[in-house]
């Protein structure tokens, strides 16, 4: 949604969408916010708050089971033996 709003010229709405998505752990939204921060569309304070929330969301999804599944997926995609 953020990208769509940005293309339509709704900068504030785009930033709001990216902040919401980043707070839920979206890496793509963090990258978009970093880019618009460089352009002066996001304050340093808002970016810092969003980065902390993003990290908390990412940390909340970590588990040994997820890491094992990701390792299995990497091996399977690369054709490595199990």
């Amino acid at each position: 949604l953020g990208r769509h709003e940005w293309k339509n010229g709704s900068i504030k709405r785009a930033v709001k969408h990216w902040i919401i998505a980043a707070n839920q752990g979206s890496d793509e939204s963090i990258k978009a916010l970093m880019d618009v921060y460089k352009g002066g569309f996001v304050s340093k304070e808002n970016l810092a708050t969003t980065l902390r929330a993003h990290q908390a969301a990412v940390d909340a999804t970590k588990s040994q089971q997820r890491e094992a599944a990701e390792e299995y997926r990497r091996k399977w995609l690369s054709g490595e033996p199990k």
Side-chain angles (χ1 to χ4, degrees):
L1 288 173
R3 198 176 311 149
H4 177 74
E5 294 291 357
W6 182 267
K7 287 180 182 180
N8 287 332
S10 300
I11 307 303
K12 288 182 181 181
R13 289 185 68 163
V15 169
K16 285 181 184 182
H17 284 297
W18 285 324
I19 288 173
I20 291 166
N23 286 341
Q24 295 176 357
S26 169
D27 293 333
E28 183 179 320
S29 294
I30 283 293
K31 290 175 187 174
L33 286 168
M34 297 292 270
D35 288 342
V36 297
Y37 168 73
K38 293 173 189 174
F41 297 104
V42 178
S43 71
K44 186 175 184 177
E45 182 180 330
N46 281 344
L47 181 62
T49 301
T50 302
L51 286 168
R52 286 190 295 273
H54 174 267
Q55 189 59 53
V58 169
D59 290 346
T61 62
K62 289 184 180 179
S63 72
Q64 288 181 338
Q65 187 176 12
R66 283 179 189 258
E67 289 173 14
E70 181 61 27
E71 180 64 24
Y72 177 82
R73 179 182 168 276
R74 274 192 292 255
K75 286 182 179 181
W76 185 80
L77 290 173
S78 69
E80 289 182 38
K82 296 172 185 148

